[in-house]
Amino acid sequence: MTNRYAVILAAGQGSRMKSSLYKVLHPVAGKPMVELVMTQVEQLDVEQIVTVVGFGADKVRESLGDRSDYVLQEEQLGTGHAVMQTRELLADKTGTTLVICGDTPLLTAATLEQLFAHHEAAGAKATILSAIAADPSHYGRVVRNADNHVEKIVEHKDANPSELTIKEFNTGTYCFDNAALFSALEKVGNDNAQGEYYLPDVIGILKQAGDIVSAYIMDSEEESMGINDRAALAKANKLMRQRVNHELMQQGVTFIDPDTAYVDVGVTIGQDTVIEPGVSLKGDTTIGSHCVIGAHSEIVDSKIGDGVRVTSSMIEKSAVADGADVGPYAHLRPLSEIGENVHIGNFVEVKKSSIAKNTKVGHLTYVGDATLGENINVGCGTVFVNYDGKNKHHTHVGDNVFIGCNANLVAPVTLGDGSFVAAGSTITEDVPGDALAIARERQTNLKNYAKKLPYNS
């Protein structure tokens, strides 16, 4: 196999997106589209990847990091001009160079590998990745000769009646003999309405030199989609999520309605887990096996163990251990650690806290900046009072503690093992182990006084 190189074109601003975010950084299923392209290219055993950046260069570099070399296209003068910016890094190489656009996030490594293989087997100087379109309007048609090699690419507006019947079109992805590519680029002119240097002109230059130009027809037209506007972005998101969900179903995950479950690229889910409608699983999220993720739950950058049930709740940058249950309508804010078999119930909010196994936080409670031990009962309406208006303070609760309803635990405070907090108490001092803490006014009943109140007058 010859040496392989890749050029990713990511310099355009994408004015049709009408966005302050550069086009190739718009996410598809949770990942910037240029990162999705990079991930597929990395699977092709290439010697070197060069990304051409322009608008938003620093942001693109930040997204891709050291996975690529970079060159800057200071002026956007066409795709041919963009590839020419790589000449100092690639022009002296021998082998095959893939040129791919950073706004084609649906292309797969399998298709690109087939393109490489076809190019090398055909002995071609250039190979076009083509597809068959149901409606090829506005596409450049691939015109083949009697030997089934490419004769030319003709734009829709320039096609004659016979050429208009061709459904094979140019996707804008190519393999080139590297030396032939850079030799031909030197001859590409800009005598056109836009004054730009177009990469497809290389095809005509190679044909004039008598070189073989081939085309490989990919299986799926949809996979070739380039993203130029918000409508295409929405369609690409839908197609990518369908692909992600299908792969997960093949691995043993149940989706009640795959069309209404939104799972980002890279999310992992264990076997026999059920994903209900309206669920969003985002970022660096891992879901274990035998879980139920209930309708309209959202989980972001979190790790969920085995046998967990999440009911209509939100979990962010947190961890939930095996056998726990969350919700309905609970919110785990960042840096929450929920232990084995913990119960987080209705309208409970947890933030930057760890809760050990078998503890129950049933409903209408806020747990913030706290460490809770095992086998604790936290009563309804309890508030961990962690903020004094300037600083956050921590609460420590030992094992086997009972906290009655409507308690306020004013941090910093510690409740010892086995202690008991009476309902309605506001705790401002440490509670020793096995002690009963009562911090409330003694009840006073004023006989017949209710008759004097305004609502009785």
Side-chain angles (χ1 to χ4, degrees):
M1 185 177 69
T2 61
N3 291 333
R4 293 177 174 182
Y5 309 94
V7 175
I8 299 176
L9 304 180
Q13 183 177 20
S15 58
R16 281 185 281 172
M17 298 294 288
K18 300 189 184 305
S19 174
S20 60
L21 182 65
Y22 303 104
K23 179 171 72 169
V24 298
L25 296 178
H26 277 266
V28 173
K31 300 285 187 183
M33 61 176 84
V34 71
E35 185 176 338
L36 293 173
V37 172
M38 175 65 72
T39 298
Q40 299 306 307
V41 170
E42 287 174 326
Q43 299 176 46
L44 300 174
D45 194 27
V46 294
E47 296 287 326
Q48 187 175 10
I49 301 172
V50 182
T51 301
V52 183
V53 295
F55 287 102
D58 291 342
K59 293 294 185 181
V60 175
R61 290 191 184 102
E62 182 181 331
S63 176
L64 299 179
D66 59 3
R67 298 162 69 182
S68 174
D69 293 320
Y70 299 92
V71 296
L72 178 65
Q73 186 187 22
E74 294 184 358
E75 293 183 271
Q76 277 60 60
L77 298 177
T79 50
H81 179 260
V83 177
M84 274 297 287
Q85 307 313 300
T86 71
R87 60 187 178 275
E88 291 187 8
L89 295 178
L90 295 178
D92 62 345
K93 307 289 187 183
T94 300
T96 301
T97 297
L98 170 74
V99 179
I100 185 171
C101 295
D103 63 356
T104 54
L106 298 176
L107 282 171
T108 64
T111 294
L112 298 174
E113 182 62 46
Q114 290 162 2
L115 173 64
F116 266 115
H118 179 93
H119 172 80
E120 293 164 358
K125 294 298 184 181
T127 300
I128 302 161
L129 181 63
S130 65
I132 303 299
D135 177 12
S137 300
H138 310 298
Y139 288 121
R141 308 302 209 284
V142 176
V143 181
R144 295 177 181 261
N145 60 24
D147 296 323
N148 206 35
H149 294 146
V150 174
E151 185 64 33
K152 62 180 177 178
I153 299 172
V154 60
E155 295 304 318
H156 179 82
K157 65 182 186 313
D158 300 321
N160 61 40
S162 176
E163 291 165 344
L164 287 173
T165 65
I166 297 172
K167 294 186 178 297
E168 184 181 3
F169 69 94
N170 174 23
T171 69
T173 298
Y174 309 87
C175 273
F176 294 99
D177 174 88
N178 195 67
L181 169 63
F182 284 95
S183 176
L185 281 171
E186 297 286 351
K187 302 171 185 176
V188 171
N190 66 339
D191 186 16
N192 52 63
Q194 284 72 36
E196 296 185 350
Y197 301 86
Y198 295 129
L199 186 60
D201 290 352
V202 168
I203 302 301
I205 293 169
L206 294 175
K207 288 299 297 182
Q208 289 175 4
D211 292 320
I212 294 174
V213 176
S214 187
Y216 172 72
I217 302 174
M218 62 193 301
D219 293 333
S220 168
E221 175 193 355
E222 290 179 336
E223 190 179 317
S224 71
M225 180 190 299
I227 312 303
N228 292 313
D229 57 26
R230 303 289 183 136
L233 181 65
K235 184 176 181 180
N237 266 287
K238 182 176 182 178
L239 292 170
M240 182 62 82
R241 294 190 190 283
Q242 287 175 344
R243 182 187 296 175
V244 168
N245 291 355
H246 178 76
E247 291 175 356
L248 288 169
M249 287 187 283
Q250 295 296 105
Q251 296 166 17
V253 179
T254 294
F255 284 82
I256 301 302
D257 183 1
D259 290 337
T260 60
Y262 308 97
V263 182
D264 279 357
V265 171
V267 169
T268 61
I269 306 176
Q271 290 182 359
D272 294 313
T273 284
V274 177
I275 308 297
E276 293 186 348
V279 167
S280 293
L281 305 177
K282 300 179 178 180
D284 183 19
T285 289
T286 299
I287 310 289
S289 61
H290 301 278
C291 296
V292 176
I293 310 301
H296 308 295
S297 294
E298 181 174 348
I299 302 176
V300 183
D301 295 330
S302 295
K303 183 175 181 180
I304 309 300
D306 297 334
V308 172
R309 177 178 287 271
V310 178
T311 306
S312 300
S313 295
M314 184 169 187
I315 301 174
E316 306 173 85
K317 297 181 179 180
S318 295
V320 181
D322 297 351
D325 68 280
V326 178
Y329 311 117
H331 185 185
L332 302 186
R333 291 168 56 192
L335 303 179
S336 298
E337 297 183 8
I338 308 303
E340 293 181 13
N341 302 314
V342 166
H343 170 60
I344 303 294
N346 303 272
F347 301 102
V348 171
E349 180 179 354
V350 181
K351 188 271 292 187
K352 199 177 180 181
S353 298
S354 64
I355 302 177
K357 66 182 182 180
N358 299 322
T359 286
K360 296 176 174 59
V361 187
H363 30 217
L364 299 165
T365 291
Y366 171 65
V367 181
D369 297 280
T371 302
L372 282 70
E374 300 178 4
N375 302 307
I376 297 168
N377 180 85
V378 180
C380 176
T382 295
V383 177
F384 285 66
V385 185
N386 60 326
Y387 185 48
D388 63 8
K390 184 177 180 180
N391 298 306
K392 299 290 178 68
H393 300 280
H394 204 84
T395 296
H396 293 267
V397 182
D399 297 337
N400 304 305
V401 172
F402 186 97
I403 301 172
C405 294
N406 292 320
N408 296 304
L409 308 180
V410 182
V413 70
T414 297
L415 309 185
D417 292 347
S419 60
F420 192 112
V421 175
S425 294
T426 295
I427 303 300
T428 59
E429 299 178 0
D430 291 350
V431 180
D434 298 319
L436 168 63
I438 304 175
R440 61 192 184 204
E441 283 290 329
R442 183 177 297 277
Q443 180 174 328
T444 301
N445 298 327
L446 302 179
K447 293 181 180 180
N448 299 316
Y449 195 85
K451 294 178 180 181
K452 301 178 184 181
L453 297 177
Y455 74 88
N456 279 327
S457 61

